[in-house]
Amino acid sequence: MQGTPDITLIGGGIMGLLSARELALAGLTVTVLERQKIGREASWAGGGIMLPLYPWRQDASITTLVNASLTLYPALTETLHGATGIDPEYLTSGLLITENPDYQAAQQWCQRNHTPVESAPESLLSRLNGPFDHPLWLPDIAQLRNPLFIKALTADLHAKKVTLIEDCVLQGVRCKNNRITVLTTSQGALPVNHLALTTGAWSGKLWQTLWPSAGPTTLKVQPLKGQMLIFDAPPGLLAPMILAGDRYLIPRKDGKILAGSTVEKMGFDKTTTTPAKAALTDFALNLLPDLKPWPITHHWAGLRPGSPNGIPIIGLHPTINNLSINCGHGRSGLIMAPASARLLTDLICQRTPIVDPNPYQLNAQTL
Ligand SMILES: Cc1cc2nc3c(=O)[nH]c(=O)nc-3n(C[C@H](O)[C@H](O)[C@H](O)COP(=O)(O)OP(=O)(O)OC[C@H]3O[C@@H](n4cnc5c(N)ncnc54)[C@H](O)[C@@H]3O)c2cc1C
């Protein structure tokens, strides 16, 4: 590493990588320290549906970040594809939601947020097993193939001279006069100008390690385990994404179909389990019987960064002058990432923020 970077980000998931890109575009020198390999945690494990599950049941501040991200994603993925040759497969495949007991709220949300909504096509419903309750077809909802997005983003960061250091764990900080002066890491002590934490599900635990005297006043971010399967289906078996209750199918461009996901409070345990595999398999085969001939080729788990009400925590620390944070995006971090990274950068660079920063600040509810 040459000199002390303007910004040191901890955590090389989508929040760390996109924040690093925004900060580099703002003209700052940036280093990302990653505990293991870049982009191999939640950001790799996720499904990539570009809509929170039932956003009308969630806090309005989530919709704000979603809408801001949706304005950025098409150009961002196109630029990354052009610059790196890696296609993140941002596809408008549409989303069918089979059961909508709160149909009115869903309709109103779609109307307010300019999201086209239509009655579900009979040709699609006839291939699926219900139950159906006011099924909704949202033809404009896109998906992202997140492992490819991370790959493209990483290549772009190398080209932008962002330093990415793997196998480097942040273990502690030294502070003086309300500033962090030194980071202690598994690769030794590093001087720091500004520290930004993008440590996903590990953020609450890390906070306790860094500031043990904070006692019960700690960052409220907890791991939420999610398990997922992939079927090796052929192209064309299913075109749109299907959301049924709390579970979904996501068909990729090459035909493979993801079935997800569980939500489990199991601490930092990422092991996959036989009951979860059976439950996800039953769900998928019952919903789409055409999947039966196709084998499951992979089963994995990731840890979502769960926060109070799923609202991410993005902002500058109120008293430590060179510390900021961008974490706690729960089940919707991929969709909220571009606007979250832009907001963090706006706050660090003292620019007009892309969205009102107040709902996401570190405050009494998150600390
Ligand atoms: C099964 C599943 C399905 C999902 N589906 C969707 C979806 O369809 N749409 C959607 O929008 N979102 C989805 N998500 C959520 C989304 O994946 C996450 O919200 C998002 O990836 C979080 O990104 P992150 O960068 O904050 O966390 P991560 O990707 O987990 O990155 C955090 C990084 O910090 C590193 N780190 C932690 N502590 C330290 C330390 N002390 N030192 C150095 N490095 C450290 C970790 O190793 C990790 O790489 C899903 C998640 C899962 C698990």
Side-chain angles (χ1 to χ4, degrees):
M1 209 188 319
Q2 288 169 356
T4 306
D6 296 322
I7 312 287
T8 305
L9 283 150
I10 311 298
I14 194 165
M15 295 309 153
L17 300 178
L18 269 180
S19 301
R21 187 172 186 274
E22 284 294 336
L23 290 158
L25 287 172
L28 300 171
T29 54
V30 184
T31 291
V32 180
L33 309 184
E34 166 53 46
R35 194 171 59 98
Q36 33 178 354
K37 302 298 173 206
I38 291 291
R40 297 295 296 172
E41 292 290 352
S43 302
W44 173 86
I49 304 175
M50 294 285 98
L51 186 79
L53 306 189
Y54 311 100
W56 40 92
R57 298 177 195 167
Q58 303 190 34
D59 193 89
S61 61
I62 293 177
T63 292
T64 302
L65 280 177
V66 168
N67 286 342
S69 289
L70 285 174
T71 62
L72 300 172
Y73 252 124
L76 172 63
T77 47
E78 216 175 288
T79 304
L80 288 177
H81 187 184
T84 67
I86 302 163
D87 181 2
E89 295 184 8
Y90 184 84
L91 299 177
T92 305
S93 50
L95 175 71
L96 174 80
I97 308 181
T98 60
E99 291 172 83
N100 295 284
D102 46 0
Y103 180 72
Q104 292 265 325
Q107 286 274 10
Q108 284 164 7
W109 185 93
C110 289
Q111 210 163 27
R112 270 198 313 277
N113 293 287
H114 313 289
T115 303
V117 55
E118 298 170 9
S119 335
E122 197 42 52
S123 55
L124 178 57
L125 293 181
S126 63
R127 294 184 54 217
L128 303 173
N129 272 325
F132 299 113
D133 176 4
H134 295 87
L136 280 177
W137 168 233
L138 309 181
D140 282 10
I141 302 303
Q143 61 165 286
L144 179 76
R145 197 154 183 171
N146 33 303
L148 292 176
F149 182 68
I150 294 282
K151 214 169 157 187
L153 197 48
T154 306
D156 189 57
L157 289 177
H158 284 303
K160 290 190 163 44
K161 308 284 180 230
V162 169
T163 306
L164 304 177
I165 303 180
E166 297 187 318
D167 304 312
C168 184
V169 187
L170 176 67
Q171 295 166 328
V173 291
R174 280 184 232 144
C175 295
K176 198 175 173 188
N177 300 333
N178 292 335
R179 284 187 72 78
I180 299 168
T181 51
V182 174
L183 307 180
T184 51
T185 79
S186 55
Q187 295 188 18
L190 297 172
V192 64
N193 283 315
H194 181 104
L195 175 67
L197 298 180
T198 51
T199 36
W202 292 264
S203 303
K205 191 178 165 199
L206 179 64
W207 200 269
Q208 261 170 339
T209 309
L210 300 184
W211 293 283
S213 58
T217 309
T218 191
L219 192 70
K220 294 186 183 109
V221 178
Q222 298 287 336
L224 290 177
K225 175 171 159 181
Q227 299 191 48
M228 199 92 117
L229 303 176
I230 195 161
F231 287 82
D232 197 9
L237 190 78
L238 180 70
M241 299 176 283
I242 317 283
L243 174 61
D246 203 26
R247 302 229 154 119
Y248 47 77
L249 297 179
I250 307 174
R252 296 304 199 197
K253 196 177 172 184
D254 57 10
K256 293 182 198 307
I257 296 179
L258 271 65
S261 63
T262 62
V263 182
E264 303 163 68
K265 286 191 181 169
M266 300 293 291
F268 291 91
D269 172 17
K270 266 200 326 178
T271 46
T272 53
T273 64
T274 310
K277 185 175 184 180
L280 291 172
T281 307
D282 283 355
F283 157 75
L285 298 186
N286 179 57
L287 181 64
L288 181 64
D290 291 351
L291 256 182
K292 282 193 180 123
W294 308 104
I296 294 166
T297 49
H298 199 31
H299 174 202
W300 67 92
L303 300 176
R304 310 174 184 94
S307 59
N309 302 321
I311 302 170
I313 304 156
I314 309 164
L316 308 175
H317 193 277
T319 55
I320 303 174
N321 296 330
N322 61 342
L323 174 64
S324 58
I325 189 156
N326 179 12
C327 74
H329 294 73
R331 298 193 81 173
S332 310
L334 299 168
I335 172 61
M336 288 193 276
S340 302
R342 178 74 68 86
L343 177 59
L344 179 77
T345 305
D346 292 339
L347 295 171
I348 290 174
C349 296
Q350 300 183 321
R351 302 187 306 209
T352 306
I354 182 170
V355 296
D356 174 6
N358 284 314
Y360 319 104
Q361 278 174 1
L362 278 163
N363 58 28
Q365 280 179 336
T366 48
L367 277 173

